[in-house]
């Protein structure tokens, strides 16, 4: 199985800050990586696909980069509504695997 | 509008059987994989398995193989996740999502198993 190690598991930042989350894959997944946002009681929402492509309708302050085994998700200019848990997903090989999640709190 | 809509909340007893559903609309249902994802209370996301409704080709996470059955009826654009004998540890919210890259998600089905 491909293990997705996501870090940090939680962070606290202020409105306007730049926030970075990392996912490391235990083996290469090419560009087959997506990022999701989940708020309490809601379904996950895809923000980034193919490692760096922004989902239609998602604000441009969200971005992704990387390939192979190292991936980064960035929120620039953090907003109050960005308080959520974020997950990465690799869909390159079975079983599909998610990162453990990063809870983002607004100070 | 592309949507996947799931069946409602379920409250069951240990040993009960259960089948929950996920209906796709606004796209060619047979042509896209449907994934099932479990989220236990306060925990992260786990891929359970996926089905291609066009030919019912199914892939399971080994962690869930034999514990659940995934099926689909393309004539009514619906995928299913079923249990033959529920356990308390099956208490969770179950999501379906379109495609391996999980671009569109259902609203989730909360399943509670308690005596």
């Amino acid at each position: 199985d491909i293990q997705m190690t996501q870090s940090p598991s939680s962070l606290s930042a202020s409105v306007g800050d730049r926030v970075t989350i990392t996912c490391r894959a235990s083996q290469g997944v090419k560009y087959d990586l997506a990022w999701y946002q989940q708020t309490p009681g809601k379904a996950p929402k895809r923000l980034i696909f193919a490692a760096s492509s922004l989902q239609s309708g998602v604000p441009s302050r969200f971005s992704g980069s990387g390939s192979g085994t190292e991936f980064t998700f960035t929120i620039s200019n953090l907003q109050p509504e960005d308080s959520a848990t974020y997950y990465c997903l690799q869909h390159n090989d079975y079983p599909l695997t998610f990162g453990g999640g990063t809870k983002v709190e607004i100070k | 509008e592309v949507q996947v809509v799931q069946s409602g909340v379920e409250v069951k007893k240990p040993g009960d059987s259960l089948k929950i559903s996920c209906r796709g609309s606004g796209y060619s249902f047979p042509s896209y994989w449907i994934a099932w994802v479990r989220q236990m209370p306060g925990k992260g996301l786990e891929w359970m398995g996926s089905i291609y409704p066009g030919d019912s080709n199914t892939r399971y996470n080994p962690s869930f193989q034999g514990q659940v059955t995934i099926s689909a009826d393309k004539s009514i654009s619906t995928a299913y996740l079923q249990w033959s004998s529920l356990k308390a540890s099956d208490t969770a919210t179950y999501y379906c999502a379109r495609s391996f890259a999980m671009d569109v998600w259902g609203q989730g089905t909360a399943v509670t198993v308690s005596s």
Side-chain angles (χ1 to χ4, degrees):
Chain A
D1 297 8
I2 298 175
Q3 309 302 319
M4 300 302 295
T5 302
Q6 187 172 339
S7 60
S9 57
S10 65
L11 64 89
S12 181
S14 300
V15 171
D17 280 356
R18 181 183 183 90
V19 163
T20 298
I21 299 168
T22 297
C23 262
R24 288 188 173 86
S26 59
Q27 60 192 79
V29 299
K30 300 179 183 176
Y31 295 93
D32 297 333
L33 185 110
W35 291 95
Y36 299 85
Q37 177 192 63
Q38 187 179 34
T39 54
K42 298 291 188 182
K45 173 187 175 184
R46 193 173 75 170
L47 304 180
I48 301 289
F49 64 97
S52 61
S53 296
L54 189 67
Q55 187 73 29
S56 176
V58 172
S60 59
R61 64 179 181 274
F62 296 99
S63 64
S65 65
S67 66
T69 61
E70 294 273 339
F71 299 89
T72 299
F73 173 80
T74 300
I75 310 172
S76 59
N77 189 21
L78 189 69
Q79 296 299 300
E81 60 266 31
D82 300 336
S83 177
T85 301
Y86 295 85
Y87 295 93
C88 63
L89 164 71
Q90 72 78 19
H91 55 92
N92 178 259
D93 196 14
Y94 297 112
L96 311 187
T97 44
F98 289 92
T102 297
K103 186 171 186 177
V104 174
E105 175 193 89
I106 311 297
K107 284 181 186 173
Chain B
E1 181 192 4
V2 174
Q3 289 186 91
V4 287
V5 178
Q6 299 183 232
S7 50
V9 173
E10 300 279 359
V11 180
K12 293 291 188 179
K13 296 190 185 309
D16 283 353
S17 62
L18 176 63
K19 191 173 189 177
I20 62 175
S21 67
C22 169
R23 185 174 186 280
S25 63
Y27 72 98
S28 174
F29 184 79
S31 304
Y32 289 79
W33 289 82
I34 289 285
W36 286 97
V37 174
R38 183 176 78 174
Q39 187 166 41
M40 299 179 76
K43 301 298 184 183
L45 304 170
E46 302 171 271
W47 175 72
M48 303 175 72
S50 295
I51 188 165
Y52 187 75
D55 61 5
S56 291
N57 183 12
T58 308
R59 302 299 299 260
Y60 288 95
N61 184 331
S63 297
F64 292 92
Q65 181 100 41
Q67 308 306 307
V68 296
T69 301
I70 294 171
S71 60
D73 184 345
K74 63 183 177 183
S75 70
I76 55 171
S77 301
T78 302
Y80 302 96
L81 177 66
Q82 69 180 89
W83 295 258
S84 58
S85 181
L86 286 161
K87 303 184 280 287
S89 58
D90 292 317
T91 295
T93 297
Y94 295 88
Y95 295 100
C96 65
R98 188 182 77 154
S99 87
F100 278 117
M102 302 191 204
D103 58 347
V104 178
W105 290 64
Q107 80 277 23
T109 296
V111 175
T112 299
V113 184
S114 175
S115 54

